[in-house]
Amino acid sequence: MKKELSIFIGLFLFLAIGMHFKEWMDHPIEHAMALPTAGAYGIGAVHPLVFTLVIYIPFVIIRGVVRLFRK
């Protein structure tokens, strides 16, 4: 569980910094404070978690399939 959480958080940070690099370097506090009013694809403030989950779920499925074939 701890490993999965660290993978999820690492993926979250990688995606957040990758997609909003300029904002995180120029004004990170203002960028984080504007999250409640974010309107990314109609998802709103939870869009970072939704996008991270969309990437994380196939990653977990692939890891599960690899584990099945290793045994």
Side-chain angles (χ1 to χ4, degrees), residues 23-42:
E23 290 83 1
W24 283 110
M25 293 299 121
D26 290 344
H27 47 278
I29 302 298
E30 292 86 3
H31 186 66
M33 297 301 288
L35 190 58
T37 59
Y41 303 105

Side-chain angles (χ1 to χ4, degrees), residues 3-64:
K3 181 180 178 181
E4 295 299 321
L5 184 60
S6 65
I7 291 171
F8 185 83
I9 291 171
L11 184 61
F12 176 83
L13 292 173
F14 177 76
L15 292 173
I17 292 171
M19 292 302 294
H20 303 285
F21 183 77
K22 183 179 178 209
E23 290 83 1
W24 283 110
M25 293 299 121
D26 290 344
H27 47 278
I29 302 298
E30 292 86 3
H31 186 66
M33 297 301 288
L35 190 58
T37 59
Y41 303 105
I43 300 172
V46 296
H47 78 272
L49 295 175
V50 171
F51 294 150
T52 304
L53 200 60
V54 166
I55 301 297
Y56 178 72
I57 289 175
F59 179 73
V60 168
I61 292 171
I62 291 169
R63 285 182 59 208

